Amino acid sequence: MATVELTFSALPAHVRTARLVATAIARRTGVEESLLDEVRLAVGEACSRAVEAHRAHCPGEPIRIELKDDSGRFEVTVSDQAPSDEIKQEQPLDLGMLSDSFMSGFGIAVIAGLADDVEVFPSPKGMRIRMSWPAATNGHPPI
Amino acid sequence: MDLKLDHHNEDRLTIVEVEGEIDVYTAPRLRELLIDLVNKGNFHLLVNMEKVDFLDSTGLGVLVGGLKRVRAHDGSLELVCTQERILKIFRITGLTKVFGIYASVDEAKEAHGKDK
């Protein structure tokens, strides 16, 4: 098992860096080329959500990403420290309800639509989003 | 890649050319442009996304915000996009039902002309 950990300040400019790192490690881990766009977008969504949450609640605290190559899966966990206890259920689309800055639940809905496997752990001490994709291990095909 | 923005008018339509990545960092620039165009009386916008490499929900939020603004003036905001990686996020979010999405600028102009 190999793990890469990355922490970054809650600045929008760093989200791109996080996306690039995650995509590079996914590629090296053996995630299929056709899935790399999904990895990039899902990790970007999770980091964007975390940045927005930190800017609202704790701008001085860093956001943490863990990238693991474990048992034939590429696993990414994005953890923030902003209080979060709500995950809104998907509702019928109503343009009047949507704002310029999409509600955080929308980003999570996008992640759920992209990642092969997603778990969201909201808590008063922060949210953790874990997602994974199949990856080749030592030349063996993805699980 | 950073975000490049440009726009020009063709008849009643304002074509917004977008190139690069639309994310939480760059989306505010697109939002400012759309607001500025609407404030200057451009209510029929066509956003060409053929050169967009990346779009996330922040970018979608900006497009939805632009759509709300033009609709307040009986206007329109439509998109040109054929890239599967970008279309996918519109499909996941159900926004394909909200935006007119065309395969080319000419196709959008033709459809817009018929609506006049």
Side-chain angles (χ1 to χ4, degrees):
Chain A
M1 180 175 74
T3 302
V4 173
E5 283 186 29
L6 178 71
T7 57
F8 63 93
S9 307
L11 296 173
H14 294 330
V15 172
R16 181 170 185 264
T17 306
R19 280 201 310 265
L20 292 173
V21 170
T23 310
I25 296 174
R27 181 177 280 121
R28 186 199 53 77
T29 302
V31 174
E32 264 183 41
E33 205 67 25
S34 61
L35 293 176
L36 292 179
D37 272 339
E38 299 185 8
V39 172
R40 184 164 73 131
L41 184 50
V43 172
E45 290 291 348
C47 291
S48 297
R49 198 213 63 80
V51 165
E52 295 295 342
H54 271 225
R55 291 175 86 191
H57 296 283
C58 49
E61 297 297 326
I63 292 154
R64 185 159 155 265
I65 312 180
E66 245 182 271
L67 306 117
K68 284 184 192 170
D69 165 7
D70 192 9
S71 310
R73 305 282 300 177
F74 172 63
E75 186 179 297
V76 182
T77 305
V78 178
S79 307
D80 69 59
Q81 298 173 49
S84 172
D85 50 11
E86 88 295 358
I87 300 178
K88 293 183 175 61
Q89 290 298 310
E90 199 171 325
Q91 294 175 342
L93 193 63
D94 175 357
L95 191 60
M97 288 167 54
L98 301 177
S99 64
D100 285 14
S101 55
F102 261 30
M103 59 268 198
S104 61
F106 203 81
I108 292 170
V110 171
I111 295 167
L114 291 169
D116 188 47
D117 161 48
V118 186
E119 284 180 306
V120 181
F121 306 96
S123 86
K125 291 182 179 173
M127 184 178 279
R128 193 158 53 90
I129 299 175
R130 192 197 61 73
M131 44 207 160
S132 78
W133 291 266
T137 48
N138 301 323
H140 296 106
I143 293 172
Chain B
M1 179 186 243
D2 203 1
L3 183 68
K4 286 185 192 167
L5 298 170
D6 200 0
H7 65 93
H8 64 278
N9 289 316
E10 289 188 24
D11 299 326
R12 288 174 61 223
L13 203 57
T14 301
I15 300 175
V16 179
E17 302 284 352
V18 188
E19 183 176 349
E21 299 188 342
I22 311 174
D23 68 359
V24 67
Y25 180 55
T26 60
R29 286 178 48 212
L30 178 60
R31 178 187 294 122
E32 282 167 21
L33 175 62
L34 296 180
I35 290 172
D36 189 47
L37 289 171
V38 173
N39 287 345
K40 288 178 177 163
N42 302 284
F43 303 137
H44 292 282
L45 308 179
L46 177 64
V47 181
N48 186 357
M49 305 188 63
E50 285 299 80
K51 292 182 179 173
V52 171
D53 298 320
F54 181 83
L55 174 75
D56 70 6
S57 62
T58 319
L60 288 179
V62 168
L63 293 171
V64 169
L67 181 60
K68 284 169 71 176
R69 283 188 179 86
V70 293
R71 280 196 180 166
H73 299 277
D74 292 324
S76 62
L77 189 156
E78 292 168 326
L79 309 171
V80 173
C81 182
T82 57
Q83 296 188 77
E84 187 52 36
R85 65 162 79 164
I86 303 294
L87 289 170
K88 185 171 189 173
I89 188 167
F90 283 96
R91 277 200 291 271
I92 287 171
T93 54
L95 288 173
T96 45
K97 295 169 190 160
V98 173
F99 289 102
I101 301 178
Y102 297 96
S104 69
V105 170
D106 285 343
E107 187 183 293
K109 279 161 62 180
E110 192 180 338
H112 190 75
K114 284 176 188 166
D115 291 342
K116 272 199 245 181

